[in-house]
Amino acid sequence: MPGGGGTIGDKLLQTTSAPAGISATIARQASDVVAFAFTTDPGQITFSDWGIGAYTVELNVTAAGGQVLGYKAQLVRVNSACSTVATLATSASQSGVALKTFSFANVSSTGSASDRLQVRILATGGNGGDSARTMTIQVNTTDSEIRAPWITPSPTPTGGFGPASAITSLAVAGVSTGTDPMLQCDMTSMRSDVTGDGYWNSADVAAVLGLFGKAVETGTRADVHPDGFVDISDLAMIAGRIGSPSTPSS
């Protein structure tokens, strides 16, 4: 999959497949921005009360530049259109390259039976070039997974999770059609809230216009359509969303 923190519709699945790596380049001096996001399919969860209990996110970070200053896991309840219903929990920051575990105790949530679970990885970047601000995670395997109280236990968990654990892979799902429900959960949608205030509004337009016509470094938030230039394509990504709440960046 292309770099940049997932593409369209990265999923939380209850199956595994061939290992894959995806990368995200964090904007210079950005704090707690969404680097990756993974969401359950519509209909994968069919009950409104998710109960109360412990969640665990296991993340296999295979590469991290020296200016990736830290990253967190965040649990978010989103509706069927992938708009935020509630942020359930955000972990403390970790750093470095390793198999990382983020644990959350006594998490509870209720809402609509059509709501979906989204796991976000929030990252903080320093200065330096693109490679110094880039991190890579492995997906599709049991080394990157989430355990939730309501997921059916897997018969083949990883050793660290024990026999009662549940496997839900962080899986790349490269959908590309406008009718696919995962399209609404893509990273481009999150990036298009340029100011990160939870809304698509004139402030986002102003931020893009401030850099309009310029070549920019990887991870620049005004480069909504991430091609290294701020141009009409970036404005177009925002225009259709003006006046509505976005999926917030943190």
Side-chain angles (χ1 to χ4, degrees):
M1 298 296 289
T7 52
I8 296 174
D10 289 353
K11 297 184 180 184
L12 288 172
L13 298 175
Q14 289 184 286
T15 58
T16 58
S17 58
I22 57 175
S23 299
T25 299
I26 315 308
R28 190 185 302 271
Q29 296 185 327
S31 179
D32 289 348
V33 294
V34 180
F36 309 96
F38 302 87
T39 314
T40 56
D41 271 319
Q44 189 172 338
I45 304 170
T46 57
F47 42 91
S48 59
D49 187 348
W50 294 359
I52 184 170
Y55 288 68
T56 304
V57 175
E58 190 179 59
L59 186 70
N60 189 6
V61 182
T62 57
Q67 290 300 307
V68 177
L69 303 183
Y71 43 82
K72 303 174 181 179
Q74 185 177 72
L75 307 176
V76 182
R77 186 171 185 142
V78 300
N79 64 19
S80 58
C82 243
S83 295
T84 299
V85 173
T87 298
L88 307 183
T90 303
S91 75
S93 182
Q94 298 195 42
S95 61
V97 176
L99 188 63
K100 301 289 186 175
T101 299
F102 304 87
S103 298
F104 307 88
N106 300 316
V107 176
S108 62
S109 181
T110 59
S112 169
S114 62
D115 288 344
R116 304 153 74 176
L117 174 66
Q118 185 174 89
V119 174
R120 301 178 187 171
I121 305 302
L122 311 180
T124 295
N127 291 305
D130 288 358
S131 61
R133 293 178 285 105
T134 297
M135 65 180 294
T136 301
I137 63 173
Q138 185 185 71
V139 294
N140 295 345
T141 76
T142 57
D143 284 339
S144 290
E145 61 194 24
I146 177 172
R147 179 173 59 186
W150 38 265
I151 301 176
T152 303
S154 167
T156 56
T158 55
F161 272 37
S165 71
I167 292 174
T168 298
S169 303
L170 303 183
V172 174
V175 305
S176 59
T177 64
T179 57
D180 194 302
M182 292 302 296
L183 188 66
Q184 298 164 311
C185 303
D186 70 353
M187 292 300 299
T188 297
S189 176
M190 294 185 188
R191 280 192 297 261
S192 62
D193 179 13
V194 181
T195 62
D197 64 357
Y199 294 90
W200 289 299
N201 52 32
S202 59
D204 300 303
V205 175
V208 172
L209 290 177
L211 292 173
F212 197 83
K214 297 181 180 179
V216 293
E217 64 183 11
T218 302
T220 299
R221 296 195 69 157
D223 186 16
V224 181
H225 179 267
D227 58 4
F229 295 89
V230 178
D231 53 24
I232 193 64
S233 64
D234 302 300
L235 282 176
M237 294 297 297
I238 300 171
R241 299 183 169 105
I242 293 295
S244 59
S246 73
T247 302
S249 62
S250 62

